[in-house]
Amino acid sequence: MKLMTRMVLHLYAPAVLIVGGGLVIAETITRTHTGWAGLTSGRTASISFLLAILLGTAWALHSSWRLYRWALGREQRCGCGGLWTRPRINRHGAVYRKCIGCGYKKFEHAHT
């Protein structure tokens, strides 16, 4: 699999899962006829699906922004050319970044 394909799948898969999950929740609400806060089941299902679409769209826009910055060379790159994730902290307290393209972990010094 090519580097760009792996990065696009990694960045956009959560947005697709959020919208798909919203569809499943909306369908479940409709079939069980359960409302929330005095709303009918149809209205609750519509609101939950709309929220899932909005959240998925926001996630996809953020991913597009990161890929755009990566294409311009404004994001840090791994040796393979891939995009680094945001800094994370492992269970031992070490700060690291992971390459979306190859999976390599780069440990950094903690900023205190």
Side-chain angles (χ1 to χ4, degrees):
M1 191 180 311
K2 292 184 177 183
L3 174 71
M4 189 65 178
T5 305
R6 278 189 299 234
M7 289 193 326
V8 166
L9 286 175
H10 180 84
L11 289 170
Y12 289 102
V16 172
L17 291 175
I18 289 169
V19 173
L23 178 63
V24 169
I25 290 171
E27 188 64 27
T28 303
I29 290 170
T30 302
R31 290 181 187 254
T32 59
H33 301 290
T34 56
W36 181 74
L39 298 173
T40 63
S41 63
R43 175 80 50 150
T44 305
S46 296
I47 290 171
S48 67
F49 189 49
L50 176 65
L51 289 174
I53 289 172
L54 291 174
L55 186 59
T57 302
W59 193 290
L61 286 172
H62 176 71
S63 297
S64 297
W65 177 249
R66 291 204 59 211
L67 279 176
Y68 173 72
R69 288 179 50 84
W70 172 81
L72 293 178
R74 293 183 182 162
E75 290 276 340
Q76 292 183 359
R77 293 181 182 220
C78 176
C80 72
L83 177 66
W84 290 106
T85 61
R86 299 294 179 213
R88 302 177 182 179
I89 300 174
N90 68 5
R91 63 179 172 214
H92 303 295
V95 178
Y96 70 96
R97 290 176 179 253
K98 190 172 180 181
C99 176
I100 294 175
C102 67
Y104 175 75
K105 289 183 182 178
K106 175 177 81 169
F107 287 91
E108 301 176 350
H109 299 289
H111 300 287
T112 55

